[in-house]
Amino acid sequence: MSSLHKSRIADFQDVLKEPSIALEKLRELSFSGIPCEGGLRCLCWKILLNYLPLERATWTSILAKQRELYSQFLREMIIQPGIAKANMGVSREDVTFEDHPLNPSPDSRWNTYFKDNEVLLQIDKDVRRLCPDISFFQRATEYPCLLILDPQNEFETLRKRVEQTTLKSQTVARNRSGVTNMSSPHKNSVPPSLDEYEVLPNGCEAHWEVVERILFIYAKLNPGIAYVQGMNEIVGPLYYTFATDPNSEWKEHAEADTFFCFTNLMAEIRDNFIKSLDDSQCGITYKMEKVYSTLKDKDVELYLKLQEQNIKPQFFAFRWLTLLLSQEFLLPDVIRIWDSLFADDNRFDFLLLVCCAMLILIREQLLEGDFTINMRLLQDYPITDVCQILQKAKELQDSK
C-alpha cells in the first residue's frame, strides 16, 4: 500500500471519527474515490445516501430501529402472506363468493397474491442476471435471513412461489390439449425451464435471493412505481458493497441497510423509471436532451456530427442515465463512479457531465465513424479507465 493511499485512509478516518461528521469535507474526500479498507466505503455511502445522520452518537439506535423495521416488513409482506397462502384452500370456507381464485376484486387476497406473483417473477428473472461476469451473486451468503429460513415457520417463501408458478406455467405450455399460448409469467418470453431455478440447499441463500427480497418489499411498499426492469442494476452494486464489508457486524445486516439506502437513492431517481413523467422536466427525456445541450455547449462540432447522423440520445443515454452507468463498466469501476456521484452535492447534474465526458473522450472516433460504427461505440463504450472519464467530467464542471 502506497504512502499516499495510507494518507487518504487516515484522512477519511479523521473525518469519520468526529462526533459530528463534516459533510462537505467527507464529500470532498469521497469525490476522488473512497478506500474500501476498513469498511470506509460502506460507511461513507450510508452517510452520503442519508441513511446515517451526521451525529455519530445516534448511529447505534437508528440502525437498530431501521433493522427492526425491515424485519417487520419481512414478517408482514413475506412471512404472513406466505402462511395465509399455505392455509388458503385447506378448508372449503377459504373459497367463497367473497374470496376465490377468480375473484377480480382488488380487496381479494387471491387477486393480490396473483398480482404480486407477476412482479415477483419479473424481479426473479432480472436478479439472476446480475453481474454475470462475477460469481458473487450466485454464491451463498454468510448471513442468510433467519426469519425466512426458520424451520418453525411453515409458509410459502418467495423461492417456493417462483418454483411453483414456473412449474404451473410450463404445465400449461405443454398441455396436450393445445393450450400453448397462454401468457407466461415472464412477459414476451417462453417459460424458462426448471433447470434455471436450481437453488442452493435448504438452509442456504444465494446473494441474488437477498436482492430479490429487497426489490419485492420495495415494490410492495411503493405500489405507485412497484418494480421496473433496471432497478436490479441499481440495487446490485449497493448490496455487493455492503455484503462485502470487512466488518462482520455490518455485513450481517447488509440486506436491511441496502434496502434503506436503495429506497433513499430511488427517491432521487425514481422519476427516471416512471413512463408518464418521461417528457416532464424531471423525466428521463429531459435529462437525455440535457446531455446533448451540454455537449453542444462544450463541443459543438461533435454535437453537429451526431445530429447529422441522426444519433439520438435515446439510443444510448437512456441506459447510461437510468442505470447510473452500471451496465457500461465492470462492477469495481461502477462502484468507483458511484463514489463521485454520491459525493457530489448535485450528483445527478454531475452524471450528465460524466455522460458528456464519455462522448468527448471518443470524439475523434465519433467524428470519423459512420452511423453503424458510432452506434456500436456508444452501445459498447470502449474506454475502461473510469478515472479518466471522471477527471474529464470534473473539468467540464469547473469550466461552467
Side-chain angles (χ1 to χ4, degrees), residues 17-218:
K17 72 182 180 184
E18 292 295 323
S20 181
I21 307 298
L23 183 58
E24 288 308 311
K25 180 62 176 175
L26 181 63
R27 281 179 170 157
E28 181 185 339
L29 285 171
S30 300
F31 190 84
S32 300
I34 306 171
C36 59
E37 288 85 357
L40 288 174
R41 174 174 283 124
C42 304
L43 179 54
C44 289
W45 279 18
K46 287 167 186 169
I47 296 170
L48 295 171
L49 290 172
N50 303 311
Y51 178 47
L52 286 178
L54 300 179
E55 303 301 321
R56 280 180 56 93
T58 63
W59 287 0
T60 301
S61 62
I62 285 176
L63 286 172
K65 179 182 176 182
Q66 294 298 88
R67 290 163 179 172
E68 175 53 36
L69 178 60
Y70 186 75
S71 294
Q72 184 179 331
F73 291 156
L74 290 176
R75 294 186 191 98
E76 291 179 0
M77 296 174 203
I78 296 179
I79 295 175
Q80 290 173 8
I83 293 172
K85 172 58 173 62
N87 292 332
M88 278 202 291
V90 170
S91 60
R92 289 187 61 85
E93 61 239 25
D94 287 322
V95 181
T96 66
F97 284 115
E98 288 73 28
D99 200 9
H100 54 82
L102 299 180
N103 185 354
S105 168
D107 298 326
S108 164
R109 288 182 301 166
W110 287 99
N111 191 41
T112 300
Y113 177 81
F114 292 138
K115 285 187 174 179
D116 287 349
N117 262 11
E118 291 179 13
V119 174
L120 175 60
L121 287 164
Q122 182 61 58
I123 293 172
D124 185 80
K125 181 173 70 171
D126 292 343
V127 295
R128 291 170 186 269
R129 301 170 176 168
L130 268 175
C131 303
D133 49 324
I134 63 173
S135 62
F136 171 79
F137 287 98
Q138 308 304 318
R139 296 203 307 263
T141 172
E142 295 174 57
Y143 299 100
C145 180
L146 299 181
L147 272 176
I148 298 295
L149 298 178
D150 184 351
Q152 301 301 314
N153 284 335
E154 293 187 7
F155 69 98
E156 185 182 54
T157 62
L158 296 187
R159 180 190 294 186
K160 289 177 184 174
R161 284 175 73 162
V162 170
E163 291 170 349
Q164 290 172 6
T165 308
T166 302
L167 180 60
K168 288 174 185 175
S169 178
Q170 287 183 14
T171 301
V172 169
R174 295 167 183 166
N175 191 311
R176 296 182 69 181
S177 67
V179 184
T180 59
N181 60 348
M182 290 185 67
S183 297
S184 162
H186 300 317
K187 294 180 180 177
N188 303 320
S189 67
V190 174
S193 69
L194 285 178
D195 292 341
E196 289 185 39
Y197 291 88
E198 290 179 4
V199 291
L200 296 168
N202 288 334
C204 297
E205 280 192 312
H207 288 290
W208 65 260
E209 292 185 88
V210 180
V211 175
E212 178 174 81
R213 198 158 50 234
I214 292 168
L215 289 168
F216 182 74
I217 290 175
Y218 177 83

Side-chain angles (χ1 to χ4, degrees), residues 101-353:
L102 299 180
N103 185 354
S105 168
D107 298 326
S108 164
R109 288 182 301 166
W110 287 99
N111 191 41
T112 300
Y113 177 81
F114 292 138
K115 285 187 174 179
D116 287 349
N117 262 11
E118 291 179 13
V119 174
L120 175 60
L121 287 164
Q122 182 61 58
I123 293 172
D124 185 80
K125 181 173 70 171
D126 292 343
V127 295
R128 291 170 186 269
R129 301 170 176 168
L130 268 175
C131 303
D133 49 324
I134 63 173
S135 62
F136 171 79
F137 287 98
Q138 308 304 318
R139 296 203 307 263
T141 172
E142 295 174 57
Y143 299 100
C145 180
L146 299 181
L147 272 176
I148 298 295
L149 298 178
D150 184 351
Q152 301 301 314
N153 284 335
E154 293 187 7
F155 69 98
E156 185 182 54
T157 62
L158 296 187
R159 180 190 294 186
K160 289 177 184 174
R161 284 175 73 162
V162 170
E163 291 170 349
Q164 290 172 6
T165 308
T166 302
L167 180 60
K168 288 174 185 175
S169 178
Q170 287 183 14
T171 301
V172 169
R174 295 167 183 166
N175 191 311
R176 296 182 69 181
S177 67
V179 184
T180 59
N181 60 348
M182 290 185 67
S183 297
S184 162
H186 300 317
K187 294 180 180 177
N188 303 320
S189 67
V190 174
S193 69
L194 285 178
D195 292 341
E196 289 185 39
Y197 291 88
E198 290 179 4
V199 291
L200 296 168
N202 288 334
C204 297
E205 280 192 312
H207 288 290
W208 65 260
E209 292 185 88
V210 180
V211 175
E212 178 174 81
R213 198 158 50 234
I214 292 168
L215 289 168
F216 182 74
I217 290 175
Y218 177 83
K220 290 283 288 178
L221 288 171
N222 297 272
I225 183 171
Y227 172 77
V228 179
Q229 193 170 31
M231 290 181 182
N232 56 309
E233 305 294 349
I234 302 296
V235 75
L238 286 173
Y239 175 74
Y240 174 85
T241 300
F242 296 159
T244 55
D245 192 322
N247 183 333
S248 59
E249 183 181 348
W250 288 69
K251 186 194 297 189
E252 182 178 356
H253 298 285
E255 179 175 350
D257 294 347
T258 299
F259 171 81
F260 289 108
C261 286
F262 172 69
T263 299
N264 289 352
L265 180 56
M266 282 301 300
E268 299 183 52
I269 65 171
R270 71 193 303 268
D271 292 349
N272 293 346
F273 291 89
I274 301 176
K275 190 170 181 58
S276 61
L277 295 177
D278 280 358
D279 296 322
S280 69
Q281 192 164 347
C282 60
I284 190 64
T285 301
Y286 174 81
K287 292 169 186 171
M288 289 188 291
E289 290 172 351
K290 191 74 183 291
V291 172
Y292 263 26
S293 64
T294 304
L295 179 64
K296 183 179 180 180
D297 182 52
K298 303 296 183 182
D299 191 335
V300 68
E301 182 184 8
L302 179 55
Y303 166 79
L304 291 173
K305 176 70 173 181
L306 296 177
Q307 289 287 86
E308 175 192 324
Q309 293 185 341
N310 199 29
I311 295 179
K312 301 181 185 301
Q314 290 91 327
F315 298 163
F316 61 94
F318 178 85
R319 188 175 73 185
W320 291 7
L321 293 168
T322 304
L323 304 184
L324 307 185
L325 298 170
S326 60
Q327 287 287 284
E328 313 313 312
F329 303 99
L330 296 176
L331 183 57
D333 295 324
V334 171
I335 289 171
R336 171 62 191 90
I337 291 172
W338 285 16
D339 284 345
S340 295
L341 286 183
F342 295 166
D344 195 86
D345 193 20
N346 300 305
R347 48 177 150 249
F348 301 111
D349 287 339
F350 185 69
L351 176 60
L352 299 177
L353 292 173

